[in-house]
Amino acid sequence: MPGQRPPARAAVTALPTRECSGYVWAWYGSGAPRHEPPDLRDLETRKIPGIRRFRLADPTRATTRRILENTYDPDHLVALHGLTVAGEARIAFQEAREETVGDGAPDDHPEPRCDATLTWPAYRGALGTVSNAFGLNAGEFTLRMRGWASCQEIEYYADGRRLYRMILAVTPIGEHHSIQHINAVVDPDGAGALGWLRALVHRAEVQVAARQDLPIFDTLLPGDRHGIYVPGDEAVRRFRRFYQQWVEVAERG
């Protein structure tokens, strides 16, 4: 408004931000941020061919919590992603470490992370046949996750051999609309042409799985409803309690 004083109501609230690990992080709460952004620099600094590193950005009609809690649901690996396995998918949580403030007293705000490990046995059926043919099957698969209320760092292993690492982050763009971001690096899986072929398969696994989740996100009821829980939902409930604590921290400052 050249030559005029803008009205007071035209003021825009500025959010504290940090640029870190290839992302811009914003604190939505009042007061100063309670933690610095997660340090994920290794994913940015590794010098690898572009074919093994990629990013996805998919719009969804879901909230941040809905997207992040999906990783804590081992049953959906079989039901949605079709991972027919020779046993049960399990999830275990890492015990939280008590943090202290400067004077050595216990801090009263929530734990900064909600870490978990998902495991499942070898693939069977048609998936197992294909996996065995390409040497991709294993006795045990493991998904190790460091989970914040804003993103997740995920590592995928087959019999202790890491196959890929990725960051799952969310940008809220509306009341019930978010963008799911995935930044992934696929590790070499063997020497020569076969190792590259396996790496391409692992890359496709991440891309296909991410796109399979989108129709579920887009057909959820609006908001962060709780619904009816079954025994298999306990891990999701635990993450929801963790996430809600940070919502309350942000609201009260």
Side-chain angles (χ1 to χ4, degrees):
M1 302 176 65
Q4 301 182 40
R5 178 176 295 178
R9 65 181 180 178
V12 176
T13 301
L15 299 176
T17 61
R18 299 283 191 278
E19 185 174 353
C20 182
S21 306
Y23 296 93
V24 175
W25 305 84
W27 172 250
Y28 287 89
S30 58
R34 294 297 188 96
H35 290 280
E36 287 298 310
D39 183 4
L40 310 170
R41 289 176 296 175
D42 180 61
L43 200 64
E44 287 293 315
T45 58
R46 295 180 60 178
K47 298 183 182 298
I48 56 177
I51 195 170
R52 284 175 40 213
R53 175 179 166 187
F54 60 95
R55 287 178 179 249
L56 303 174
D58 296 308
T60 76
R61 293 196 293 272
T63 63
T64 300
R65 196 205 75 190
R66 291 286 202 183
I67 293 173
L68 294 177
E69 72 186 18
N70 187 54
T71 317
Y72 294 84
D73 180 12
D75 290 339
H76 98 282
L77 295 172
V78 177
L80 176 61
H81 299 305
L83 301 185
T84 50
V85 296
E88 182 183 6
R90 304 178 304 277
I91 184 169
F93 286 86
Q94 179 178 318
E95 289 301 319
R97 297 179 179 177
E98 183 178 69
E99 295 205 345
T100 58
V101 293
D103 59 1
D107 202 345
D108 61 353
H109 62 70
E111 289 295 325
R113 299 205 314 263
C114 183
D115 297 351
T117 300
L118 283 75
T119 57
W120 59 93
Y123 299 131
R124 61 179 179 82
L127 178 60
T129 301
V130 174
S131 298
N132 290 331
F134 286 93
L136 299 174
N137 216 341
E140 182 177 76
F141 294 94
T142 304
L143 205 67
R144 298 177 184 171
M145 174 173 52
R146 292 200 301 162
W148 291 266
S150 55
C151 72
Q152 295 164 1
E153 180 184 36
I154 298 169
E155 293 181 305
Y156 177 58
Y157 292 84
D159 287 339
R161 183 178 77 257
R162 191 173 73 177
L163 302 181
Y164 61 76
R165 178 179 175 223
M166 69 180 226
I167 305 303
L168 170 64
V170 185
T171 301
I173 57 176
E175 187 176 3
H176 305 299
H177 292 78
S178 305
I179 297 177
Q180 175 182 258
H181 296 277
I182 290 178
N183 184 10
V185 173
V186 179
D187 288 310
D189 189 15
L194 183 58
W196 279 99
L197 177 61
R198 289 173 176 169
L200 288 173
V201 172
H202 301 320
R203 171 175 174 152
E205 287 177 353
V206 176
Q207 293 173 313
V208 170
R211 299 289 158 71
Q212 287 176 327
D213 287 323
L214 298 180
I216 306 300
F217 294 149
D218 290 344
T219 53
L220 291 169
L221 292 174
D224 285 340
R225 299 168 183 262
H226 284 262
I228 300 173
Y229 292 109
V230 297
D233 292 332
E234 183 53 39
V236 172
R237 295 185 70 181
R238 178 163 175 168
F239 174 77
R240 287 182 175 184
R241 291 191 294 267
F242 162 81
Y243 185 87
Q244 184 59 34
Q245 287 179 314
W246 276 105
V247 171
E248 294 169 1
V249 166
E251 290 176 345
R252 67 174 181 260

